[in-house]
Amino acid sequence: MEIGKAIKAMRIEKGISQNKLSILTGFNRGYLYKLENDLISPTLETLEKLAQVFEVPVSELIIKTEQLK
């Protein structure tokens, strides 16, 4: 699954910098970089936190992943 691309696309759509996302989620920028570049897979807890910041349900991230294929 290439959910990292969906996370990055959602972040950009919402006008949130990677630095701001780091502050809002409590995740360090290195971790976010790895997520967005699909170098690591997010846990469900991570997806929930990101979805909360993006103000969308987790399913929206999954749908976006499918759309970007």
Side-chain angles (χ1 to χ4, degrees):
M1 187 181 287
E2 297 176 342
I3 197 156
K5 290 181 178 122
I7 293 168
K8 184 175 184 175
M10 183 77 64
R11 176 179 63 75
I12 291 168
E13 283 174 20
K14 298 289 184 175
I16 302 172
S17 69
Q18 200 175 62
N19 191 50
K20 180 73 172 182
L21 186 59
S22 173
I23 292 166
L24 294 172
T25 60
F27 302 144
N28 71 48
R29 287 185 63 208
Y31 179 72
L32 290 173
Y33 172 85
K34 289 177 184 177
L35 279 176
E36 288 187 355
N37 289 285
D38 291 308
L39 299 174
I40 57 174
S41 296
T43 64
L44 180 55
E45 185 178 317
T46 296
L47 290 177
E48 289 171 343
K49 180 150 254 181
L50 289 166
Q52 180 181 357
V53 169
F54 295 147
E55 299 178 328
V56 298
V58 172
S59 60
E60 185 80 18
L61 290 171
I62 305 302
I63 290 167
K64 188 142 201 81
T65 301
E66 293 301 315
Q67 292 171 344
L68 293 173
K69 285 187 176 180

